[in-house]
Amino acid sequence: MIPMSLAEIATAAEGRLSETADPEAVVTGGIEHDSRKVGPGGLFLALPGEKVDGHDFAPKAEAQGAVATIATRPIDSPAVYVDEGLRALAGIARETARRSEATVVGVTGSNGKTSTKDLIGHLCASLGPTVATEGNFNNELGHPYTVCRLAPDTRYLVLELAARGIGHITELCEIAPPHIGAVLNVGISHLDGFGSIETTAEAKSELPRFLAPEGTAVLNADDPRVAAMAERTRAQVLTFGVQNPADIAAADVEAGDGRHRFTLRTPDGDAPVRLRLWGGHHVHNALAAAAVAWRLGASPDHIAEQLSEAGRKSERRMDVFTLPDGTTVIDDSYNANPASMGAAIRALGQLPTAGRRIAVLGLMADLEELSDECHRRAGEQAAEAGVDELIAIGDGTEPIVEGAAGNDHEHSIDGANGVVATHVPDQTAAIELLRTRLRSGDSVLVKGSRHRTWDVADHLRAKEDNDQ
């Protein structure tokens, strides 16, 4: 954290110090909302929870070296009293960003935010000290928490910007104004919050619209809704793409074993890239990251070398591993929407396998009236990709079976497309079915929204032999 006195912290948080808090005491160790992570010189953010109240752990935080606790009710430890904890955290983060000289990179999109953020973070770290969002900690808590991790020598701050409605991205941008903003795509996701894909596009456009004239908007030339944002930003525009002309492009794309190869083309020359990440969707993610790095002054050779070295950092995202019997598992179970589901299914289809390809698919949440259509399309994509067997888990996934089998039956079908498609009520039933179906040499994809397929993935991971 950039050092600040408690008096300065109180001003930034719009709070007041308790009588036992020393205004001149300096906070150097960062802000934590988990008392177990608080260290000497840090701050503890006491948040009320459903089961426990953070205020009860203030004495523990003080014993571990916390300078003070940010609190909303009286406690027996040095405190900064505020009206609302998250608003106070945002204020401290805003002041931290104001004092920092780091270049701020913001990333948003309907799909691929976390993977692309990880790639950008990897590239930036090769250029200088970097702070990046951990996992997908991208909300009203995770975003300011990440900003507060800035140190005096940090050169790059890479932030994943998520939204479930209009105005959310703007609010995050106001905490740490981005110098570079990358928009990856606009797709069907979180329709319970956005209502339509047009509203989704409007929300994502808040990032390029926020940028200053001296900033850079990194836009996907292959997504018409993203490309159109060039007309709505004051910033310089840098495009990336595969199908359409772009400033940063991929040529000669080859699928290989599912880890794609391509020639990176930039205004400064070309360089070969061989990704370690699984799935064709990572080509666009890599290009977005390359565009950011090129804007920061990296050479094509350096960018290509770093992209070729980058591995998976976040859990349950295209994590490919092998079981002792030779079965290959693709754990992409963190979350799912129509675009990411299609990308994962295509990756399963491209994966070399000695046995069968099996897809275990859970519900894609928040699709509202488009749910049946999108799930049916996922089943069709499984058939098109050459999937041999499909297991759909839980209520709402029956259309996956219908789409895979090419007819309107709902339960167990040996379809005309050659897909054995089965609907099961829950993950326990899916695990039992896999026990009888999986054979040595098979490849299995596990994909669904949030927790809906995690038990299946964890069951398979328990058998894991080695990561690829």
Side-chain angles (χ1 to χ4, degrees), residues 144-293:
Y145 172 83
T146 303
V147 176
C148 287
R149 290 172 50 212
L150 282 166
D153 66 343
T154 302
R155 287 183 59 189
Y156 306 105
L157 174 63
V158 184
L159 298 169
E160 178 179 340
L161 308 181
R164 293 183 66 88
I166 296 294
H168 290 179
I169 288 177
T170 297
E171 291 175 3
L172 298 180
C173 287
E174 287 172 344
I175 293 174
H179 302 91
I180 302 173
V183 185
L184 308 179
N185 45 56
V186 174
I188 299 172
S189 63
H190 301 307
L191 292 185
D192 60 331
F194 291 121
S196 69
I197 195 169
E198 289 75 21
T199 305
T200 303
E202 183 68 17
K204 302 303 181 186
S205 74
E206 291 175 19
L207 175 54
R209 284 189 284 134
F210 188 92
L211 297 170
E214 61 271 21
T216 301
V218 175
L219 303 178
N220 184 352
D222 294 335
D223 186 316
R225 291 183 175 87
V226 176
M229 296 178 191
E231 302 299 322
R232 305 188 66 189
T233 183
R234 301 171 296 166
Q236 304 171 52
V237 173
L238 185 65
T239 58
F240 65 93
V242 179
Q243 288 83 29
N244 294 322
D247 300 310
I248 307 297
D252 306 319
V253 179
E254 298 180 12
D257 62 356
R259 292 172 286 193
H260 284 56
R261 300 184 294 270
F262 62 90
T263 299
L264 173 67
R265 289 189 170 168
T266 79
D268 292 331
D270 300 350
V273 175
R274 183 176 184 139
L275 296 175
R276 291 176 58 198
L277 301 173
W278 294 83
H281 55 294
H282 283 303
V283 174
H284 273 93
N285 296 345
L287 290 176
V292 171

Side-chain angles (χ1 to χ4, degrees), residues 283-312:
V283 174
H284 273 93
N285 296 345
L287 290 176
V292 171
W294 182 83
R295 176 65 182 83
L296 295 174
S299 69
D301 286 340
H302 180 82
I303 294 169
E305 178 183 2
Q306 293 299 316
L307 288 176
S308 299
E309 291 179 358
R312 179 189 58 82

Side-chain angles (χ1 to χ4, degrees), residues 323-334:
L323 303 183
D325 66 358
T327 299
T328 300
V329 179
I330 304 175
D331 179 1
D332 198 35
S333 62
Y334 183 80

Side-chain angles (χ1 to χ4, degrees), residues 376-399:
R376 186 173 293 105
R377 178 58 187 147
E380 294 170 351
Q381 289 173 320
E384 293 165 1
V387 171
D388 299 291
E389 185 163 350
L390 185 150
I391 302 172
I393 301 174
D395 293 341
T397 63
E398 292 88 352

Side-chain angles (χ1 to χ4, degrees), residues 278 312 316-333 347-348 351-353 356 358 360 434 438-439 441-447 453-454 456-468:
W278 294 83
R312 179 189 58 82
R316 301 185 188 275
R317 291 174 173 86
M318 294 305 293
D319 181 6
V320 181
F321 57 92
T322 302
L323 303 183
D325 66 358
T327 299
T328 300
V329 179
I330 304 175
D331 179 1
D332 198 35
S333 62
L348 174 63
L351 187 71
T353 181
R356 300 162 302 153
I358 300 173
V360 182
L434 281 174
L438 271 181
R439 305 171 193 159
D442 286 347
S443 294
V444 56
L445 164 69
V446 184
K447 178 75 172 171
T453 54
W454 288 7
V456 176
D458 290 344
H459 164 74
L460 294 170
R461 187 171 296 283
K463 301 180 178 182
E464 181 179 356
D465 181 32
N466 62 283
D467 267 307
Q468 292 191 357

